[in-house]
Amino acid sequence: LLIFILTESALELVPKKIANHPSIRKHAARKKKKPGEILLDRTYHHAAMRRLAGAEKRGRPDIAHITLLQVLGTPLNMSGMLKTYLHTAADYVIEIDSRTNLPRNYERFVGLMEQLHVQHRVPSKGARLLSIKKATLSELLNEVQPSKTLAFSTMGRAKSLQETCEAISGEKNPAVIVGGFPHGHFSADTMALTDEIVSIHPQALDAWVVASRIIYEYERAIGL
Ligand SMILES: C[S@@+](CC[C@H](N)C(=O)[O-])C[C@H]1O[C@@H](n2cnc3c(N)ncnc32)[C@H](O)[C@@H]1O
């Protein structure tokens, strides 16, 4: 079983500090929601985000959307050999059942994530496909107890993906960690939780490119 974690993801509800900004209030009113119940999104909230700390790493839920679609659509996931988690910059962990059929449409994905933050599970009855709880990456790793924890970053040691995935293919439940943010690097806390940090290319690639390649190489390494 491979554990995939998209960490420090730029997906969070609008923080209180900027909830009163006109661009946020206008956007929330259009969606018929409270300002604190909509996702922070740089496309609409650029002006308001100037007042936020660490703004360059925030307000990009599209990264989680595209990456999750790439990951959940793989043969590895369809054969039940992938466990996917989304850890957010605001320290929530979203557990995603492998059978989840995420909306392909971005606005619908945003609506689902907003509903999840308010209701804590989706759907509200029956088999639970998505659930959210307050937890740090460290708490998540403590819970899932991976046999090895590998993170991917341009700051890591240069190594081919083939070699990397072959090395973990014999592990019981290795975890691979990719950053769900547009710019910048993992926090020191994230780095400290890993056994190894690997760079697969001299330049920074989009999270979804890295994620889908990791899974493909892992599939090859285990002969799927
Ligand atoms: C858009 S990047 C973040 C940009 C960041 N400047 C960086 O250098 O990693 C999103 C995520 O993709 C992964 N990533 C991007 N390029 C990578 C590379 N060349 N090697 C390994 N991981 C990479 C990392 O997990 C990173 O957090």
Side-chain angles (χ1 to χ4, degrees):
L1 186 94
L2 183 71
I3 300 166
F4 176 84
I5 305 173
L6 191 67
T7 197
E8 299 181 46
S9 301
L11 185 152
E12 63 182 315
L13 294 178
V14 163
K16 274 204 186 74
K17 188 171 177 234
I18 60 168
N20 263 328
H21 191 278
S23 71
I24 305 248
R25 285 172 44 178
K26 205 170 100 194
H27 190 211
R30 207 162 62 226
K31 290 170 64 123
K32 299 192 173 62
K33 290 188 175 182
K34 293 181 197 150
E37 291 182 353
I38 65 171
L39 288 194
L40 182 69
D41 189 328
R42 180 175 291 284
T43 304
Y44 308 105
H45 312 143
H46 185 74
M49 286 181 67
R50 268 187 230 133
R51 307 212 305 248
L52 277 187
E56 73 287 347
K57 273 177 90 174
R58 302 168 76 171
R60 288 288 309 277
D62 59 301
I63 296 175
H65 184 221
I66 305 173
T67 306
L68 291 176
L69 287 178
Q70 294 272 5
V71 162
L72 295 171
T74 57
L76 187 72
N77 185 55
M78 293 193 296
S79 54
M81 292 162 79
L82 182 71
K83 184 76 210 155
T84 306
Y85 295 93
L86 184 75
H87 163 255
T88 75
D91 278 332
Y92 284 92
V93 168
I94 300 175
E95 185 176 349
I96 302 157
D97 189 280
S98 60
R99 293 161 300 177
T100 306
N101 190 13
L102 279 187
R104 271 50 183 161
N105 176 278
Y106 176 66
E107 291 305 330
R108 283 184 185 225
F109 170 77
V110 168
L112 184 70
M113 290 295 129
E114 289 167 349
Q115 189 191 355
L116 186 63
H117 276 82
V118 174
Q119 289 181 357
H120 306 298
R121 56 170 283 178
V122 174
S124 50
K125 289 197 189 92
R128 190 177 63 175
L129 293 176
L130 296 172
S131 59
I132 188 170
K133 64 178 176 198
K134 190 86 182 139
T136 60
L137 178 65
S138 162
E139 286 163 343
L140 172 62
L141 291 172
N142 258 332
E143 186 187 313
V144 296
Q145 292 285 330
S147 50
K148 183 152 190 197
T149 305
L150 261 187
F152 289 82
S153 163
T154 49
M155 287 171 89
R157 189 165 67 88
K159 199 168 161 185
S160 80
L161 250 186
Q162 188 180 350
E163 194 188 330
T164 307
C165 289
E166 274 166 7
I168 57 168
S169 63
E171 294 278 342
K172 183 169 159 262
N173 60 343
V176 289
I177 302 185
V178 172
F181 44 85
H183 306 286
H185 295 285
F186 288 136
S187 68
D189 287 352
T190 300
M191 306 265 242
L193 293 165
T194 63
D195 295 317
E196 191 181 347
I197 306 180
V198 174
S199 167
I200 61 164
H201 190 78
Q203 287 159 301
L205 306 167
D206 284 319
W208 53 84
V209 174
V210 177
S212 58
R213 289 184 179 210
I214 294 170
I215 293 182
Y216 179 63
E217 280 299 344
Y218 183 80
E219 287 171 353
R220 283 167 44 112
I222 63 167
L224 188 75

